[in-house]
């Protein structure tokens, strides 16, 4: 099946180190040769790069490695096709507009016989993954006229994801730039990089980085991947059926957002 990579950070950060190892799985250390893509949620909007070529042979992937873009939220994917032809329109991530925001989505799995009736969103390609994305966003749009509080949104997504997962394997990443949802059916792992930062070694290529030389004391970055990307960091595996929610590099889950009480002096 496919491979997922995502990042949630409290400040704009480059994902080039993790992507360097991840891209190797697109044809060199893995068999995911049917396209790749990455969505970067930057302060100026969502930037999407997709290609139907394997990531190890893609000039676009090589260009991205050489000129990394800083973002607070990233969704990336390398594809091994199970449904749908190998084509640009079937390369993940997919993006759509909801509540005036761009949402990006990538899926790892195979949803047998999942063919919901068209609703508010329709797929451009012919994958089960894009059908699932459209169904998720349609379900949210029909429930809420505007974006609800994050714990309400979490509960709705948990319900929708559970219904879709009945059709097969449904590992996915969904983000609007501020919030990043990660759902596990089979395999998904997370590592949080924060002070004190250390040296990390990639599994898929001979590359290391000393994060203490590239980050500030208050930086916090959560990296999610189908399989761990580094050999010397502590990656935590998701539980089967688990939905995690990250904001600013912190796992916030289903908890309501805390707001400080404002005191006005007269």
């Amino acid at each position: 099946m496919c491979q997922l990579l995502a990042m949630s950070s409290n400040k704009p950060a480059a994902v080039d180190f993790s992507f360097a190892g991840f891209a190797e799985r697109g044809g060199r250390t893995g068999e995911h040769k049917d396209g790749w893509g990455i969505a970067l949620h930057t302060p100026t909007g969502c930037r999407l790069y997709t290609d139907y070529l394997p990531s190890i042979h893609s000039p676009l992937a090589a260009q991205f490695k050489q000129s990394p873009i800083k973002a607070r939220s990233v969704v990336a994917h390398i594809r091994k096709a199970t449904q749908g032809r190998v084509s640009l329109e079937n390369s993940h991530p997919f993006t759509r507009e909801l509540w005036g925001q761009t949402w990006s989505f990538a899926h790892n799995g195979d949803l047998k016989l999942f063919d919901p009736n068209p609703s508010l969103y329709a797929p451009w390609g012919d994958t089960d993954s894009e059908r699932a994305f459209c169904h998720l966003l349609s379900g949210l749009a029909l429930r809420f006229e505007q974006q609800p509080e994050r714990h309400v949104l979490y509960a709705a997504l948990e319900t929708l994801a559970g219904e879709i997962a009945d059709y097969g394997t449904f590992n996915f990443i969904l983000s609007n730039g501020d919030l990043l949802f990660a759902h596990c059916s089979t395999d998904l792992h997370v590592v949080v990089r924060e002070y004190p930062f250390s040296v990390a070694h990639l599994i898929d290529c001979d590359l290391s980085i000393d994060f203490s030389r590239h980050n500030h004391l208050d930086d916090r970055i959560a990296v999610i991947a189908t399989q761990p990307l580094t050999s010397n960091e502590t990656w935590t595996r998701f539980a089967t059926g688990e939905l995690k929610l990250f904001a600013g590099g912190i796992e916030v889950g289903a908890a309501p957002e805390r707001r400080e009480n404002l005191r006005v002096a007269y």
Side-chain angles (χ1 to χ4, degrees), residues 37-202:
I38 188 167
L40 302 114
H41 293 268
T42 73
T44 59
C46 180
R47 302 176 67 169
L48 178 66
Y49 300 83
T50 58
D51 196 348
Y52 63 88
L53 295 174
S55 54
I56 62 165
H57 297 312
S58 167
L60 186 61
Q63 178 184 345
F64 178 79
K65 292 178 188 177
Q66 295 170 1
S67 303
I69 299 167
K70 290 188 175 183
R72 290 189 62 182
S73 183
V74 172
V75 178
H77 183 272
I78 48 177
R79 184 177 184 226
K80 180 182 179 183
T82 54
Q83 295 187 40
R85 63 196 182 281
V86 177
S87 63
L88 191 59
E89 61 266 30
N90 285 338
S91 297
H92 310 213
F94 307 106
T95 59
R96 293 290 194 281
E97 298 296 316
L98 173 63
W99 304 317
Q101 304 166 1
T102 299
W103 290 77
S104 61
F105 172 90
H107 166 230
N108 163 28
D110 190 11
L111 300 170
K112 301 293 186 184
L113 304 177
F114 180 73
D115 191 18
N117 293 326
S119 186
L120 301 180
Y121 294 86
W124 298 328
D126 54 1
T127 65
D128 55 329
S129 304
E130 192 179 14
R131 290 195 297 272
F133 179 39
C134 291
H135 186 70
L136 281 177
L137 290 195
S138 294
L140 294 176
L142 291 171
R143 283 169 168 81
F144 311 109
E145 293 185 2
Q146 59 186 9
Q147 183 174 331
E149 293 189 45
R150 70 187 189 196
H151 68 285
V152 177
L153 181 58
Y154 177 99
L157 271 172
E158 190 173 39
T159 298
L160 288 166
E163 293 171 354
I164 297 174
D166 287 341
Y167 290 87
T169 305
F170 195 40
N171 304 293
F172 73 79
I173 307 291
L174 173 71
S175 179
N176 68 347
D178 294 322
L179 304 176
L180 188 145
F181 296 89
H183 180 265
C184 175
S185 281
T186 52
D187 283 314
L188 213 55
H189 298 75
V190 61
V191 64
V192 177
R193 293 167 179 157
E194 59 185 338
Y195 180 83
F197 294 97
S198 59
V199 176
H201 309 286
L202 288 175

Side-chain angles (χ1 to χ4, degrees), residues 193-212:
R193 293 167 179 157
E194 59 185 338
Y195 180 83
F197 294 97
S198 59
V199 176
H201 309 286
L202 288 175
I203 294 172
D204 296 270
C205 58
D206 186 16
L207 186 63
S208 300
I209 189 172
D210 184 352
F211 285 116
S212 66

